[in-house]
Amino acid sequence: AQSVTQLDSQVPVFEEAPVELRCNYSSSVSVYLFWYVQYPNQGLQLLLKYLSGSTLVESINGFEAEFNKSQTSFHLRKPSVHISDTAEYFCAVRPYNQGGKLIFGQGTELSVKP
Amino acid sequence: DAGITQSPRHKVTETGTPVTLRCHQTENHRYMYWYRQDPGHGLRLIHYSYGVKDTDKGEVSDGYSVSRSKTEDFLLTLESATSSQTSVYFCAISLDTLSYEQYFGPGTRLTVT
């Protein structure tokens, strides 16, 4: 069975500091990989995705994630965070052989302090 | 904006009562999903649909049923609500048949007392 583990449930960080949110997955088949962000009292928004090709993918607001097949990881990074990045972040995988179903991690709460 | 609405947005109900949540999309996407979100569990798939009248179970389907009689509507029913079904429920749709990335509605907060 596939699973996704987000290694940190909460990450506090000061504004303008770098941050890394860690995501590891377990799967016997190839997967597509996603990061979603959820701002307070809102639904989830797609932040970035890895489908194929370059293992480094970027979002429009400065986040990036790198797919590491050997370590089965897809960590999310940002070199300098803003207060507005405070949110919960979810890593998800879609195994090639499971139709449209996504498997989510437990989420990481990023709290950016001034 | 993938044109997804959910109704109601908030509901409080009593144990043992039936509850139906509605998800409506405006763009005729084939795939629709219902998830529940609980602290420490992320999102877990309840049921999904890959077309009108075509549905299947997800990870946590016990106590829930779904129906999809029209492309644009996907209904989630709790036949007899229990306190363990207190949660935030999200509907999602898939735009793309290659990657199946999903886009989410605003959620319904359900409290079962």
Side-chain angles (χ1 to χ4, degrees), chain B residues 2-60:
Chain B
I4 307 168
T5 58
Q6 293 184 233
S7 59
R9 295 292 314 280
H10 302 271
K11 186 171 182 65
V12 179
T13 192
E14 293 184 348
T15 298
T17 60
V19 177
T20 295
L21 309 183
R22 179 180 183 239
C23 177
H24 179 78
Q25 58 144 329
T26 59
E27 300 183 13
N28 292 320
H29 295 294
R30 179 180 173 191
Y31 297 89
M32 299 184 75
Y33 310 83
W34 276 108
Y35 292 90
R36 60 178 290 174
Q37 183 182 21
D38 304 289
H41 292 276
L43 275 78
R44 292 179 291 175
L45 182 65
I46 304 171
H47 282 280
Y48 65 103
S49 170
Y50 42 96
V52 173
K53 298 193 187 325
D54 289 325
T55 64
D56 206 347
K57 295 179 179 180
E59 178 187 356
V60 290

